[in-house]
Amino acid sequence: MKDFKKYLEDILYVSKITNTNNKKLIIFIAVILAQLTAVSDIALILFFAAIITGDINQSNLFTPLVEVVLEYKIILPLVVLSRFTFIYFQSITLKKLELDIQENIKIYLLNEVFDKRNYSVADAYFYINVLSGHVSFFYSNLASFLNSILQIIAYLFYLFLADSRTIITFLLGALVIYYPTKYLIKKAREYMDKSYKFAQKTNYEIQRIIENMFLIKLLKKDNLELKNFSTTVKNLNLSELKNHKYGAINSFLPSFITMFVFSVLLIFSNLAKAITLDFIGVTLRLFQSIGVFNASLNKIINSHVHLEKFYDIEKNKELINKENFKISDSIDKNAIEVNNVTFSYFNSEEIIFENIQLNIPLNSHTVITGPNGSGKSTLLGLISGVLYSQEGNITSYKSKYGFIGATPMIFTGTVRENLLYGNDKTLSDEEMLNYLVKFDTFKESGSYDLDKKVDNKSLSSGQMQKLAFIRALLADVEILLLDESTANLDTKSRDLIFDILKKQNVTIVNSTHDPKYFKNVDHNLNIEIIEEKRVLIFN
C-alpha cells in the first residue's frame, strides 16, 4: 500500500508538470477502445466457433446475437473491420499522448536548465533527451495496464457465464504466480536502477571525450578511452538485458502457469467433455491479457525509477535561490561584487567555491588564471548570473553582458544573423561591414557579404572568434566575459581587439592559461587549490 501511494504521488506530480491537455480523457478513450476490442474478440470467437462447428450453445447469453450473424453473415467482416479500427485508434491515441507528454517534459526540463543554472551539460542532455522519453513511456504503459485489467474482467465475465467452475482454476493460478511475480518485479526494478546509472555515466563519458577529443588523440589515448567506454556500455547493456530477462519471464509466467494448470485439469478431470471451441478461444485471449497485465505492471514499476528523478529536480528548485544574483541600478566603483559565495553543481557533492569574496572594478581588465579544474569557467558563470550560488550573493552594477569562449556560438545562417544575435539595436550594414574589414575577418574581398551563409564548419576557429568579438562590440556590452576567447587568434588580431575594447570602457573578465599574451591588464585573479579548497588571490 505504501508503494502504491508513492507511485500515485509521483504520477500526480509528473502529470502536473507535463501540462498535457486532457490526459485523463485520452487514457479513458484508450481504455474504452480496448474494451471494445475485447468485446469484438469475444463476438468473433463466438461467430467463428458457431460457423465452424455448426452448433450454437442455446444456454449462452450471446446466443441471440450469434443467430443474427449466422443469418446475416455480412455482419462478420464488419465486426472484423471494427475490431482492427478500435486497435488502430487505441494505438494512435496512446502514441499521441506519449509524444505530447514527451514534448512538454523536454520543454519543461530545458526551461529548468535555463532557470536553475546549475546543471552540467551532461546532466542537461541526459534529462532532456533520455529521461523525458522514459517518463512519457510510463503513461502508455499505465494505459496498457488499465486496459489489460478491464479486458481480463471482460473475458472472466464471459467464462463465468459459460462455466462458473473455471473461475476456481484462474484463482488458483493467480495464487500460484503472486510470489514469483513479486520477486521478478523486484529484480527487474533493481536492474532498471543500475541501467539508469550506467546510462547517465555513458552520457558523461561521451561529453568528456567529445570535449577533449583533440587532446585525447594528441596523447594517443584513443584505445584507453575506447576500452573504458566499452566497459561502461557493456555494464549498461548487461543491466538492461537482465532487466529485460526478468521482465520477459514475468510477462509470460501468468499465461504459462494458468495454461499449465488448465491443461492438467483437462487431462485429469472431466472438464474436456464440457469445453467448447469458443471457450478455448476466449481463454487464450484471457491468457494474452494476463501477460499484457504483468508486462505493463513490470514496465510501470521500471519507469518509476525515472519518475523519482523528477523529485531531484523539485529539490533543486528549493535549493537554488535566484535572489543570490541581482543587478543593481546604482552607480558603484565596482562592476561586480561577490560576497561569501558557495557553489556546487546539481547532482554533485563537490563544493567548487566556498565563502569566496571578490570585487571587480568598473571598466577594468581582469585576467583569471588557475590550473585545469580550478573553476575559472564556473566563476564566469556565477558573476554573470548564468549559475546561481547556494549561499552568499553576487551584485552586478551593469546589465549588458557579452561572452566569448574558445568555440564561440556560430549557427547556420547569414553573417548578418550571426552578428545581430541577441542585439536589439538598429544597425546599418555599413557599421557591420566596417568591423568585419577592420578585423580582417575574410581573406577574399568577395566574402564580405552580410547575406553569406556560414556555419561552424565553413569558418575557421579564428574567424568564429572574430565574429563573436564583433557581435559583442556591436551590442555595446558593458561587461565582457572571455573564456580562452583568443586561443585561435594571431597576435595582430588580438592586440587590435583589445585596443578597441580599451577605448570603449568595457569591464573585461578574461579567463586564460596565457596571461602574458594580453596587454593593458589591470588586475590578475589567480585561483589556487590549497588543501582541496579553492582560494582566490586578487592583485
Side-chain angles (χ1 to χ4, degrees):
M1 189 64 188
K2 184 179 178 182
D3 289 342
F4 178 76
K5 183 180 178 182
K6 171 68 173 170
Y7 296 155
L8 184 60
E9 288 174 352
D10 290 349
I11 290 169
L12 293 175
Y13 168 61
V14 177
S15 293
K16 181 176 69 174
I17 68 168
T18 56
N19 198 29
T20 302
N21 294 328
N22 302 319
K23 285 190 296 292
K24 294 177 182 178
L25 177 61
I26 293 170
I27 292 176
F28 176 74
I29 291 172
V31 169
I32 292 299
L33 288 170
Q35 299 326 298
L36 291 173
T37 302
V39 171
S40 301
D41 283 341
I42 294 173
L44 287 172
I45 291 168
L46 287 171
F47 299 157
F48 282 123
I51 292 171
I52 293 171
T53 62
D55 182 32
I56 301 176
N57 185 355
Q58 296 299 324
S59 62
N60 196 301
L61 182 66
F62 301 95
T63 297
L65 182 61
V66 174
E67 290 176 342
V68 171
V69 172
L70 289 178
E71 185 176 352
Y72 302 100
K73 291 187 174 62
I74 189 65
I75 296 176
L76 186 60
L78 295 177
V79 176
V80 172
L81 178 62
S82 298
R83 178 187 185 274
F84 285 96
T85 300
F86 297 147
I87 293 173
Y88 170 78
F89 281 108
Q90 181 200 4
S91 173
I92 295 299
T93 299
L94 290 178
K95 190 63 180 179
K96 186 177 184 306
L97 174 64
E98 181 182 329
L99 293 174
D100 286 346
I101 291 174
Q102 187 174 146
E103 175 187 337
N104 289 344
I105 291 177
K106 284 186 176 183
I107 294 170
Y108 170 83
L109 287 173
L110 183 58
N111 183 65
E112 286 297 301
V113 170
F114 280 134
D115 197 32
K116 301 305 167 294
R117 310 184 187 196
N118 67 337
Y119 292 94
S120 67
V121 174
D123 268 339
Y125 181 87
F126 183 79
Y127 281 127
I128 294 168
N129 287 289
V130 179
L131 188 63
S132 60
H134 284 285
V135 173
S136 61
F137 189 54
F138 170 86
Y139 281 90
S140 59
N141 285 327
L142 177 63
S144 295
F145 176 73
L146 296 175
N147 291 342
S148 60
I149 290 176
L150 293 176
Q151 285 185 342
I152 289 171
I153 293 172
Y155 296 134
L156 282 175
F157 178 71
Y158 173 81
L159 293 175
F160 176 76
L161 293 176
D163 189 342
S164 59
R165 294 173 299 171
T166 59
I167 297 299
I168 299 173
T169 304
F170 297 116
L171 290 177
L172 180 61
L175 183 63
V176 171
I177 67 173
Y178 174 75
Y179 287 104
T181 298
K182 185 177 179 181
Y183 171 79
L184 291 167
I185 287 175
K186 179 182 177 182
K187 295 299 291 184
R189 181 186 169 86
E190 175 186 329
Y191 282 104
M192 175 53 70
D193 189 61
K194 290 182 179 180
S195 295
Y196 178 89
K197 291 174 181 175
F198 281 122
Q200 202 166 27
K201 185 179 179 182
T202 300
N203 210 55
Y204 291 149
E205 290 190 9
I206 291 172
Q207 179 193 343
R208 182 179 59 80
I209 290 170
I210 291 175
E211 288 180 347
N212 298 280
M213 183 69 73
F214 187 89
L215 180 63
I216 291 170
K217 294 186 72 65
L218 186 69
L219 298 178
K220 296 181 172 58
K221 291 295 183 180
D222 312 41
N223 291 334
L224 176 62
E225 293 294 341
L226 283 170
K227 182 180 178 182
N228 292 338
F229 183 69
S230 175
T231 300
T232 303
V233 173
K234 282 179 180 177
N235 287 331
L236 170 61
N237 289 344
L238 181 61
S239 299
E240 290 189 346
L241 180 62
K242 287 187 176 181
N243 170 265
H244 180 77
K245 179 182 73 173
Y246 286 112
I249 295 172
N250 196 32
S251 66
F252 64 68
L253 185 65
S255 299
F256 166 73
I257 292 180
T258 309
M259 190 175 288
F260 182 80
V261 172
F262 188 66
S263 63
V264 170
L265 290 174
L266 283 175
I267 295 172
F268 298 103
S269 73
N270 294 324
L271 186 62
K273 295 179 182 179
I275 204 167
T276 60
L277 188 60
D278 57 286
F279 183 90
I280 294 174
V282 174
T283 301
L284 290 174
R285 282 296 288 123
L286 172 64
F287 293 156
Q288 291 177 4
S289 294
I290 293 173
V292 171
F293 167 83
N294 243 33
S296 299
L297 178 62
N298 188 72
K299 290 175 181 177
I300 285 173
I301 294 173
N302 282 345
S303 296
H304 188 254
V305 170
H306 301 88
L307 281 178
E308 284 182 327
K309 305 306 173 183
F310 275 92
Y311 276 111
D312 292 337
I313 296 172
E314 185 68 24
K315 291 174 185 175
N316 191 36
K317 286 182 181 179
E318 298 169 0
L319 291 171
I320 303 305
N321 187 355
K322 296 180 183 179
E323 299 301 318
N324 286 350
F325 178 85
K326 62 181 180 179
I327 295 177
S328 174
D329 294 329
S330 61
I331 299 174
D332 195 272
K333 63 181 179 179
N334 293 320
I336 299 165
E337 293 179 355
V338 179
N339 297 306
N340 299 319
V341 162
T342 296
F343 175 80
S344 62
Y345 282 100
F346 178 58
N347 267 349
S348 174
E349 296 180 358
E350 181 186 7
I351 297 176
I352 307 297
F353 293 112
E354 186 173 9
N355 296 325
I356 61 170
Q357 293 203 194
L358 172 68
N359 291 331
I360 298 177
L362 189 66
N363 300 331
S364 64
H365 182 180
T366 301
V367 168
I368 302 177
T369 56
N372 289 332
S374 59
K376 297 187 295 295
S377 298
T378 301
L379 183 59
L380 291 180
L382 286 167
I383 64 178
S384 62
V386 170
L387 302 175
Y388 291 139
S389 62
Q390 279 76 33
E391 296 177 13
N393 59 79
I394 296 173
T395 303
S396 174
Y397 294 93
K398 297 293 180 182
S399 59
K400 296 180 71 174
Y401 277 85
F403 172 77
I404 302 164
T407 306
M409 178 182 176
I410 298 295
F411 53 87
T412 301
T414 65
V415 173
R416 178 187 284 103
E417 288 169 340
N418 274 279
L419 291 179
L420 295 179
Y421 182 79
N423 195 331
D424 55 5
K425 292 172 57 183
T426 301
L427 297 170
S428 68
D429 288 0
E430 185 180 1
E431 287 179 87
M432 290 182 274
L433 288 170
N434 283 341
Y435 270 117
L436 289 171
V437 173
K438 186 184 291 187
F439 277 55
D440 192 26
T441 309
F442 302 108
K443 298 304 178 186
E444 304 83 9
S445 58
S447 295
Y448 288 93
D449 178 6
L450 294 175
D451 294 319
K452 176 184 177 181
K453 289 279 187 179
V454 294
D455 55 34
N456 58 5
K457 297 183 180 64
S458 64
L459 298 174
S460 68
S461 298
Q463 287 174 322
M464 288 193 289
Q465 287 184 329
K466 287 179 179 180
L467 287 180
F469 271 104
I470 295 171
R471 179 193 295 152
L473 290 167
L474 290 170
D476 291 335
V477 298
E478 298 167 315
I479 298 177
L480 183 59
L481 306 177
L482 308 177
D483 193 356
E484 301 297 343
S485 60
T486 61
N488 299 300
L489 293 176
D490 55 66
T491 303
K492 179 182 175 182
S493 297
R494 184 168 53 245
D495 290 344
L496 172 65
I497 288 169
F498 282 90
D499 284 340
I500 295 171
L501 290 171
K502 186 68 176 177
K503 295 174 184 177
Q504 293 200 345
N505 292 324
V506 178
T507 302
I508 303 171
V509 185
N510 184 2
S511 171
T512 179
H513 285 97
D514 298 304
K516 63 180 180 292
Y517 289 125
F518 299 95
K519 59 182 183 179
N520 300 324
V521 173
D522 300 303
H523 304 283
N524 184 277
L525 171 62
N526 187 44
I527 303 176
E528 295 185 4
I529 301 178
I530 302 174
E531 295 181 353
E532 298 186 0
K533 186 175 181 179
R534 292 168 178 81
V535 178
L536 274 57
I537 301 174
F538 188 80
N539 297 311

